[in-house]
């Protein structure tokens, strides 16, 4: 059985690493890896292939950045060509980026079955490009791997129950797989110049980088928080900050880091402030309270007892959440049992 996996953006390398490891160990399964080139900086792409032992892509489209239509259009044309050449039994796509949408659309038009990892996530906010990508991908896919019961519920409500399988979350698998390695590694995964005590932050969502008031609100809040804030900065955010905003003096801006370094930074932080989907979950898995710099979250399971506080970009909500006491109640186990990659691989290979 031949599976063609489409990846292109940072979180997809991390998710695909967990599944590829298992998929490639299964007898009779051949995985072909296609990298669209959506992310291309060394620290947004190559670092993950090296650290997580992801095999070299068999096909690299080198699409790069562009408007949604231009970027997705180039991907569609490139993926179609590869699909016609490789003729896989399945196309496997991850998450909700433009690479996800392009992979699903190119395959379904060629009548190649599509499987979607992280299906059923909904923010119910169509202004987010990711929401459009998810809805369309789920609608055309043949197998929907849902990470949470909330996701299976959304798919059922949309009439997609028969294609849905609850698998748990592959990012939970990854955290369980690498956490001990990072903890035992001492300072091996520490990033130079990090203060002893800090909040960890990431910001990259279009609604935060492209709306001036939102980014200004986040920076004002960061400046008002007592303590250092370490920000591994997404290239999108770096470009927008440059020359346009005053950066508060307690903000320690560093280049994007690898996955293991990011786990280290999360494990040693006081709390996490982010608009990332993946980092919200990792904070939860690693027992760090999260402040979500968005108006809503898809990961509603994390929002209880102070473990995840959804504040949008309002300093009056962000600062008290950052300074609130640490949660006293335990977290819940709602992301599967750390075997999502195996369940997905077995379902795909028909075992
Ligand atoms: C994309 C996904 C988003 C995901 C994020 C993960 C879409 C619509 N968005 O957002 O869902 O959360 O990836 O990080 O697919 N850039 C570089 N170097 C790179 C990559 C990007 O400089 O290696 C800069 C470019 O200026 C580019 C901008 O970042 O225009 C945005 O990149 P893009 O891939 O379009 O979207 P992300 O914001 O990364
Ligand atoms: N991440 C990383 N280095 C960084 C910032 C994030 O390895 O400098 C990891 C993070 O730990 C998580 C994933 O990237 O595993 C999340 O990706 P991102 O925030 O870019 O996208 P999203 O999850 O919001 O789609």
């Amino acid at each position: 059985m031949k599976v063609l996996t489409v990846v292109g953006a940072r979180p997809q390398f991390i998710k695909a690493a967990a599944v590829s490891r298992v998929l490639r160990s299964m007898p009779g399964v051949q995985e072909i890896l296609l990298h669209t080139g959506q992310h291309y900086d060394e620290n947004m792409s190559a670092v993950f292939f090296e650290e997580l032992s992801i095999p070299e892509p068999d096909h690299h489209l080198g699409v790069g950045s562009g408007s949604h239509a231009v970027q997705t259009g180039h991907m569609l044309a490139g993926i179609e060509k590869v699909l016609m050449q490789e003729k896989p039994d399945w196309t496997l796509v991850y998450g909700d980026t433009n690479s996800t949408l392009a992979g699903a659309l190119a395959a379904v038009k060629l009548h190649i079955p599509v499987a979607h990892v992280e299906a059923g996530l909904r923010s119910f906010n169509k202004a987010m490009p990711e929401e459009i990508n998810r809805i369309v991908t789920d609608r055309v896919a043949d197998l929907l791997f849902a990470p949470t019961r909330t996701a299976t519920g959304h798919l059922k409500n949309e009439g997609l129950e028969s294609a849905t399988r609850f698998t748990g979350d592959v990012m939970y698998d990854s955290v369980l797989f690498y956490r001990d390695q990072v903890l035992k590694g001492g300072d091996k995964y520490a990033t130079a110049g990090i203060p002893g005590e800090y909040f960890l932050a990431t910001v990259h969502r279009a609604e935060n980088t492209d709306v001036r008031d939102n980014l200004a609100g986040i920076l004002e809040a960061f400046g008002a928080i007592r303590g250092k804030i370490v920000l591994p900065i997404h290239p999108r955010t770096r470009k927008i900050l440059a020359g346009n905003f005053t950066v508060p003096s307690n903000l320690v801006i560093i280049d994007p880091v690898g996955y293991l370094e990011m786990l280290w930074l999360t494990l040693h932080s006081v709390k996490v402030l982010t608009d990332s989907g993946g980092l919200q979950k990792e904070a939860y898995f690693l027992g760090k309270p999260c402040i979500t710099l968005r108006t809503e979250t898809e990961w509603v399971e994390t929002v209880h007892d102070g473990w995840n506080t959804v504040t949008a970009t309002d300093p009056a909500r962000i600062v008290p959440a950052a300074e609130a006491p640490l949660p006293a109640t335990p977290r819940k186990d709602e992301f599967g049992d750390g075997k999502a990659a195996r369940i997905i691989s077995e379902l795909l290979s028909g075992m």
Side-chain angles (χ1 to χ4, degrees):
M1 195 206 43
K2 194 172 184 178
V3 178
L4 188 130
T5 297
V6 177
V7 293
R10 171 167 70 187
Q12 293 167 331
F13 310 138
I14 294 162
K15 292 167 198 171
V19 177
S20 285
R21 195 179 303 122
V22 182
L23 197 57
R24 288 179 186 237
S25 74
M26 308 209 55
V29 176
Q30 181 192 10
E31 187 189 35
I32 305 290
L33 189 60
L34 183 155
H35 188 326
T36 62
Q38 177 168 353
H39 286 174
Y40 44 85
D41 290 348
E42 202 276 336
N43 53 23
M44 294 294 287
S45 175
V47 66
F48 300 100
F49 282 77
E50 281 158 32
E51 264 193 352
L52 307 180
S53 307
I54 308 171
E56 275 289 298
D58 301 280
H59 302 273
H60 199 303
L61 303 182
V63 163
S65 304
S67 69
H68 286 277
V70 168
Q71 187 181 56
T72 312
H74 282 138
M75 288 178 193
L76 271 171
I79 297 170
E80 182 182 63
K81 214 168 156 186
V82 173
L83 287 172
M84 285 162 69
Q85 181 193 327
E86 295 283 359
K87 298 186 175 52
D89 299 296
W90 282 99
T91 297
L92 183 59
V93 298
Y94 289 86
D96 52 20
T97 73
N98 288 347
S99 298
T100 318
L101 175 67
L105 274 184
V108 76
K109 295 272 183 136
L110 292 171
H111 307 144
I112 297 168
V114 175
H116 183 203
V117 176
E118 221 176 68
L121 272 287
R122 296 291 181 269
S123 64
F124 302 99
N125 175 2
K126 278 197 187 168
M128 286 178 75
E130 293 84 2
E131 184 75 353
I132 310 297
N133 293 343
R134 293 174 191 135
I135 291 172
V136 177
T137 301
D138 285 341
R139 191 65 193 81
V140 301
D142 301 271
L143 207 38
L144 299 169
F145 297 131
T148 60
R149 297 288 175 194
T150 307
T152 61
H154 293 148
L155 293 167
K156 187 176 178 192
N157 292 342
E158 293 174 26
L160 300 172
E161 192 177 12
S162 64
T164 302
R165 306 286 182 276
F166 173 76
T167 59
D169 193 308
V170 296
M171 291 188 93
Y172 185 46
D173 293 20
S174 265
V175 164
L176 294 182
F177 191 83
Y178 286 110
R179 181 185 52 192
D180 288 351
Q181 179 180 330
V182 172
L183 283 173
K184 283 184 197 137
D187 283 348
K188 186 173 170 202
Y189 301 108
T191 306
I194 297 303
E197 193 175 287
Y198 61 88
F199 293 85
L200 176 64
T202 73
V203 178
H204 76 275
R205 291 268 161 211
E207 66 263 29
N208 285 338
T209 58
D210 297 2
V211 179
R212 192 179 167 88
D213 283 354
N214 288 347
L215 194 50
I218 290 172
L219 291 172
E220 185 189 326
F222 284 1
I225 291 171
R226 274 167 300 181
K228 297 278 188 195
I229 300 179
V230 173
L231 177 76
I233 197 163
H234 190 291
R236 170 185 202 119
T237 316
R238 187 185 283 284
K239 283 171 196 167
I240 287 164
L241 272 189
N244 297 315
F245 290 87
T246 307
V247 172
S249 59
N250 60 334
L251 196 56
V252 181
I253 296 184
I254 59 172
D255 285 335
V257 296
Y259 177 71
L260 301 178
E261 289 73 12
M262 196 62 186
L263 287 186
W264 191 97
L265 282 171
T266 308
L267 279 161
H268 291 84
S269 67
V270 178
K271 290 187 183 183
V272 169
L273 300 114
T274 191
D275 58 10
S276 160
L279 187 56
Q280 279 176 69
K281 286 187 284 179
E282 285 163 356
Y284 190 75
F285 301 153
L286 296 171
K288 297 294 168 178
C290 184
I291 293 131
T292 294
L293 308 169
R294 290 182 43 201
T295 46
E296 69 283 307
T297 179
E298 300 80 18
W299 303 106
V300 292
E301 294 78 4
T302 62
V303 184
H304 68 94
D305 303 308
W307 284 109
N308 190 359
T309 311
V310 181
T311 59
T313 57
D314 180 0
R317 292 163 72 191
I318 298 170
V319 179
E323 295 183 347
L326 296 178
T329 34
R331 287 157 292 142
K332 301 174 188 165
D333 286 333
E334 293 187 295
F335 292 85
D337 55 6
K339 296 192 173 67
R342 175 147 301 277
I343 296 169
I344 287 167
S345 300
E346 289 180 356
L347 285 167
L348 260 187
S349 63
M351 283 176 67

